[in-house]
Amino acid sequence: MAGVTETKAVKSEQTRSLIVVTALRLFRERGYESTTMRAIAKEAGVSVGNAYYYFGSKEELIQAYYDELQDEHVAACRAVLDAETAFAPRLLGVLKARVDTMIPYHEFAGKFFKFAAEPTSPLNPFSAESGPARESAVAIYREVVDGSDLKIDKEFRAELPELLWIYSMGIVLYWVHDSSPGCRKTYLLVERTVPLVNRMVSMSRMPGFKSVTRELVGIIREVRA
């Protein structure tokens, strides 16, 4: 009985993955707006009802893409987070891993961006629907900070992971529009800005900058409330 249940679970996960892969291919080929759930089901070789059983809408398929991409990023970060304790190399490694995992989806991201950028869209990375993927992403930057040798104000330290995630979203936005071979300019942007971020974060503990840092923390909390 346990074996039958396990087999069903494996087949269910395979079907789910097939639907996601098929949807992403069709989004790339036909565009997000022109691709219907019916078309996705037909290409995947499943019934429309079965497709809707796993995903209630195309938006849910994109959320699944977010989740899978996030899982890939977490796995790609593991080596640098396990080996490094200095803040800058940890951040550099995590951001480079982010670009590495996104590269295969570059063409798709360009076509899809106009929908993700819509403020009211559930596909927006700041939306409630994107919450789990966003929280998982922030958790990576929390690990970057907590596992490092940074010595900074504890209140600023608590807010830093989210600030680093917002910084990473700026990198992602640049990557979407980067037409250089292999997204070379995006990697260059990461390599050139991480030392600046490291310098600014390190300066936050200096006497002349503590009041500025505390004011920044206050602004962040006020805006978030």
Side-chain angles (χ1 to χ4, degrees):
M1 193 69 179
V4 172
T5 302
E6 185 176 342
T7 300
K8 285 183 177 179
V10 170
K11 287 184 177 179
S12 178
E13 183 55 35
Q14 288 174 341
T15 301
R16 185 181 185 280
S17 296
L18 175 62
I19 293 171
V20 173
V21 170
T22 302
L24 291 178
R25 176 172 60 80
L26 292 181
F27 291 158
R28 287 194 298 269
E29 294 173 357
R30 306 179 186 181
Y32 175 76
E33 198 167 27
S34 300
T35 302
T36 64
M37 287 293 286
R38 183 174 295 278
I40 293 168
K42 182 179 179 180
E43 286 287 321
V46 302
S47 69
V48 177
N50 203 15
Y52 274 111
Y53 171 78
Y54 289 98
F55 301 99
S57 65
K58 289 193 297 182
E59 287 80 7
E60 288 188 15
L61 279 162
I62 295 298
Q63 295 302 333
Y65 157 69
Y66 281 167
D67 293 340
E68 288 191 11
L69 189 60
Q70 189 57 39
D71 289 344
E72 289 178 23
H73 186 209
V74 170
C77 291
R78 199 71 271 145
V80 68
L81 292 178
D82 288 346
E84 291 284 353
T85 57
F87 173 71
R90 287 171 73 83
L91 180 59
L92 179 64
V94 165
L95 288 172
K96 281 188 171 181
R98 178 64 169 166
V99 181
D100 290 344
T101 55
M102 294 190 303
I103 288 291
Y105 306 99
H106 190 247
E107 184 180 352
F108 164 64
K111 296 176 180 178
F112 161 72
F113 176 72
K114 64 179 180 179
F115 299 101
E118 172 61 43
T120 59
S121 171
L123 304 181
N124 191 304
F126 294 91
S127 70
E129 291 84 354
S130 299
R134 182 172 61 252
E135 289 169 9
S136 178
V138 173
I140 290 178
Y141 295 102
R142 185 169 295 111
E143 187 172 354
V144 168
V145 174
D146 291 346
S148 75
D149 54 9
L150 270 181
K151 293 178 176 60
I152 55 176
D153 179 85
K154 66 178 182 179
E155 291 192 339
F156 181 50
R157 190 184 191 95
E159 302 297 340
L160 185 55
E162 189 167 352
L163 290 174
L164 293 176
W165 173 73
I166 293 172
Y167 160 52
S168 77
M169 292 305 296
I171 299 293
V172 172
L173 178 59
Y174 184 87
W175 166 80
V176 168
H177 298 280
D178 185 4
S179 59
S180 64
C183 296
R184 179 184 59 81
K185 289 185 178 180
T186 301
Y187 285 105
L188 179 62
L189 179 65
V190 170
E191 291 167 1
R192 296 296 297 272
T193 57
V194 164
L196 293 176
V197 171
N198 180 50
R199 200 175 309 157
M200 288 187 290
V201 170
S202 299
M203 288 171 63
S204 70
R205 67 175 180 265
M206 296 173 63
F209 289 89
K210 283 185 178 179
S211 61
V212 175
T213 302
R214 287 170 185 163
E215 185 174 352
L216 173 61
V217 169
I219 292 170
I220 294 169
R221 293 177 177 175
E222 186 176 351
V223 170
R224 185 189 294 141

